[in-house]
Amino acid sequence: MNAGCLTIKELTDAVGGGLTPRMVRHYHQLGLLPQPVRSRSNYRLYTKKDVLRLQRIVALKQQGFQLNHIRQILEVEPEAETTVNLMGQLQQQYRAVMQQISQLRQTASALEGLLGRDRHCQIIQAEVLAQLKLLDVETQAGLGGLENLWSGLDAEIHTHSEAFTESLQRLLPDLSNRSEIEQHLISQLVLASGDVSLVSFIKLSRGAIAASREALSSSCQIVVDTQTVAAALDQTRLLHLGCHIETLIDNPHITTATEAELAFWQHREWREKLQQVSQGCVLVVGYAPSVLLEASIAIANQKIQPALVIGMPIGFSHAPAAKRQLMQQAIPYITVEGTLGGGALAATALNALVESLIDKPDCHCYLKDVVDSAEY
């Protein structure tokens, strides 16, 4: 066997990520990996270059890229003309994925329409399910029958108000491994967005709940990026805790993410104001990605030290990047991965923490999180 070469089993062990020899052979067939040299005993032999390429394949796959596009990404030179063609192909793939998401969202909505019923709305549910089994939607008449089924199922909603908590219990994933306060926080964020799938994007650092309760109990300063976020906060409860609200972009006419982002860049005084926030404050960012980016840099450089950062800005490039940078900081945080976010969600997160602290001041269910963090 050649010195310095790896067998296929040694290759998969070196790369990790759940990779198997069978997957490696599949990548050879697809042209993702070049065919390796063979030993005299006909074993596949791999080099460090193969390890590096396979690590890149695994990393791109974990990010959600499809195998055919991974091959193209790895083969395209940064300055090559084919980069334009690749971007076009990726855009086409993105549109196809969005169409699939739309179809899945429709399926999810139909399931939510059945599973999200409270006990009062379940009176005719069994009858509707029985009719769905027999439903023929190949004709226009059949589609009309489907509409009639939903109309019948919806008839009960006029008799009472919606029972949000009861509905959520049927729709939320298992949160039994989360503390009671964290479960409440997640539930409130789902209610604010109307999207149960948000759960998988909500990220809390270890000790975030404990840090929030300690800061709020100490009458910390609440720093928000815009007045729109400030207006959505539970000011009565915050006043009860002695927490003062400070707005960075202090202009009542700035109400959108676009306006907030541009204003933060154009006005030096607001960037300087961020550098002067008090130690131990709670920073709430719901609109401008650049505010969160600037805050992460200031935290990394030890210029500011908030007790907690709630980072949920909106955006398609800067916002996801800002959230990733936040999650790399050694500071408690609560965020929503990707492009999702907004002032309503950011305010809801803080309001849920404040509500839990006032309603359950002696609750210690979150302390396990602190212990786990210390042992980590």
Side-chain angles (χ1 to χ4, degrees), residues 116-122 154-167 170:
R117 305 279 166 168
D118 54 41
R119 63 182 182 277
H120 296 292
C121 280
Q122 290 175 356
D154 291 342
E156 193 63 28
I157 65 173
H158 301 286
T159 64
H160 65 286
S161 60
E162 182 161 353
F164 289 106
T165 302
E166 186 179 340
S167 296
R170 293 187 178 86

Side-chain angles (χ1 to χ4, degrees), residues 334-347:
I334 301 173
T335 189
V336 177
E337 282 185 314
T339 62
L340 301 172
L345 283 181

Side-chain angles (χ1 to χ4, degrees), residues 169-181:
Q169 289 175 350
R170 293 187 178 86
L171 298 175
L172 285 175
D174 182 16
L175 299 176
S176 58
N177 63 327
R178 310 283 192 119
S179 70
E180 182 181 347
I181 294 174

